[in-house]
Amino acid sequence: MHASIAEAGSAARPLDAHALGKLRWRCRRGMLENDLLLERFFARAEPVNEDDAAALALLMELADNDLLDVFLGRREPPPQLDRPDVRRVVAAVRAAR
């Protein structure tokens, strides 16, 4: 069983409704598969916190095909994104599929 993001992450504050809405909008992608995976991530019981939001912002810099490959486990995040917060979010997206 996977540890939840809340357990694995720091004590970052959960996003308020406005910030969460902005993040969800920022995470909209041109590839339906990415959108579906991200919607499942947002639908989890654990609230999205500030650390998650920062990691997602970094992941959104990837091209759609590269992002999908990371989410599906076909490849790991590139070296510049090899950070604990990014790895936590990627693991949560993978677990939510």
Side-chain angles (χ1 to χ4, degrees):
M1 183 125 195
H2 296 2
S4 73
I5 274 189
E7 292 170 5
S10 68
R13 292 185 328 219
L15 295 181
D16 64 30
H18 179 72
L20 182 60
K22 286 176 69 171
L23 179 64
R24 288 177 83 132
W25 181 257
R26 170 70 176 93
C27 288
R28 291 179 50 121
R29 305 301 294 192
M31 185 179 279
L32 177 62
E33 292 86 346
N34 284 328
D35 284 341
L36 294 173
L37 290 170
L38 287 164
E39 280 305 311
R40 289 181 186 149
F41 169 79
F42 285 117
R44 300 166 310 130
E46 296 116 11
V48 177
N49 65 39
E50 293 168 340
D51 290 345
D52 302 337
L56 280 168
L58 292 171
L59 286 164
M60 292 304 107
E61 299 301 318
L62 294 174
D64 281 342
N65 288 328
D66 295 335
L67 183 63
L68 183 62
D69 285 345
V70 168
F71 284 163
L72 295 179
R74 295 178 188 155
R75 59 182 279 207
E76 293 304 313
Q80 71 270 22
L81 297 180
D82 187 20
R83 303 166 30 149
D85 56 342
V86 171
R87 285 192 301 266
R88 256 192 339 270
V89 168
V90 168
V93 170
R94 289 176 180 172
R97 359 177 249 194

